[in-house]
Amino acid sequence: DAKTTQPTSMDCAEGRAANLPCNHSTISGNEYVYWYRQIHSQGPQYIIHGLKNNETNEMASLIITEDRKSSTLILPHATLRDTAVYYCIVRVEGDKIIFGKGTRLHILP
Amino acid sequence: NAGVMQNPRHLVRRRGQEARLRCSPMKGHSHVYWYRQLPEEGLKFMVYLQKENIIDESGMPKERFSAEFPKEGPSILRIQQVVRGDSAAYFCASSPRGQGAYTEAFFGQGTRLTVV
């Protein structure tokens, strides 16, 4: 079973920042937070991951709370192509990825 | 470096036939994972393989389904005597080693199996 809780769906206006929350209150000290997304009918795409510190790459930023019980994925300038289902996943090194239901993000023109 | 290649992209089988789905991991990747996605549902883990070994098959149905990843060649997911309920998208992912903290899994574009 997935160890995370995410809102079922969210809307965001094109050009604005999309902030996707994730709760993982039972996360263990050796588990990382990963984010993937699945654009309609395509294979899942890796976005970003982190352990304790905030992370940023060319796609997004990941903000993890100090107690590590929740995190937020930030897409700084959302475009229509960011419409997808976003999955927040926690797992230990060497383990398989278990997908939950994710958040369906709609980018509004 | 080509990505994870899955073929065929679309496969139609009649009930009772066999379906063979192939997955070629990225170059240098020795770990393969298979997932199934039923229409309008989430991704379900099926099996995790390393070259010539099955590491975790906890998500595989007990009957009709099998998977292999030989020393040479692609990974194969085999479904015998397909039924309509097997209709789904099957995704393969690969990583250079166990899905570790410093490695992400790369997914293919999937094979869409339709059983008629």
Side-chain angles (χ1 to χ4, degrees):
Chain A
D1 291 333
K3 301 178 183 179
T4 62
T5 304
Q6 298 178 253
T8 303
S9 66
M10 293 182 63
D11 293 339
C12 178
E14 188 178 17
R16 304 295 294 268
N19 296 278
L20 291 90
C22 179
N23 287 320
H24 31 80
S25 58
T26 61
I27 191 170
S28 301
N30 61 344
E31 287 182 317
Y32 285 68
V33 180
Y34 278 74
W35 283 83
Y36 280 79
R37 73 180 182 183
Q38 187 178 25
I39 296 170
H40 181 62
S41 297
Q42 297 183 20
Q45 177 188 23
Y46 166 83
I47 300 173
I48 199 167
H49 75 279
L51 182 64
K52 295 180 182 178
N53 301 320
N54 298 336
E55 302 288 344
T56 295
N57 62 21
E58 64 278 3
M59 287 183 68
S61 295
L62 174 61
I63 309 298
I64 302 174
T65 58
E66 193 168 342
D67 63 8
R68 302 212 320 126
K69 293 186 177 181
S70 65
S71 60
T72 301
L73 178 74
I74 301 173
L75 307 178
H77 304 287
T79 71
L80 295 176
R81 286 179 292 184
D82 292 321
T83 293
V85 179
Y86 287 76
Y87 298 96
C88 171
I89 297 154
V90 297
R91 61 179 172 81
V92 299
E93 184 173 3
D95 203 0
K96 55 190 177 286
I97 296 175
I98 301 298
F99 290 89
K101 296 186 184 301
T103 295
R104 190 172 295 274
L105 177 66
H106 298 100
I107 305 300
L108 307 175
Chain B
N1 188 7
V4 177
M5 302 300 292
Q6 290 189 248
N7 66 81
R9 291 293 306 277
H10 300 274
L11 181 62
V12 179
R13 284 287 177 265
R14 296 186 184 278
R15 281 177 295 171
Q17 290 185 319
E18 179 180 288
R20 293 172 70 87
L21 288 63
R22 289 178 291 277
C23 170
S24 296
M26 290 181 68
K27 187 176 180 180
H29 286 194
S30 58
H31 295 252
V32 164
Y33 307 79
W34 286 92
Y35 291 80
R36 177 166 66 173
Q37 188 169 36
L38 296 170
E40 304 303 319
E41 294 192 13
L43 292 139
K44 301 296 184 185
F45 167 78
M46 298 182 75
V47 63
Y48 162 27
L49 308 106
Q50 198 176 348
K51 286 280 188 180
E52 299 185 279
N53 286 308
I54 295 175
I55 305 301
D56 183 342
E57 56 181 348
S58 58
M60 286 281 270
K62 294 286 187 285
E63 297 177 346
R64 302 187 297 109
F65 284 72
S66 62
E68 63 176 7
F69 188 17
K71 187 176 180 180
E72 301 292 337
S75 175
I76 305 289
L77 179 67
R78 182 181 176 204
I79 311 172
Q80 295 177 291
Q81 299 177 311
V82 296
V83 301
R84 287 224 171 103
D86 296 332
S87 295
Y90 292 83
F91 292 97
C92 163
S94 75
S95 67
R97 55 186 172 90
Q99 289 179 327
Y102 302 105
T103 62
E104 59 262 30
F106 295 90
F107 282 80
Q109 290 305 302
T111 293
R112 275 129 190 98
L113 172 66
T114 302
V115 180
V116 296

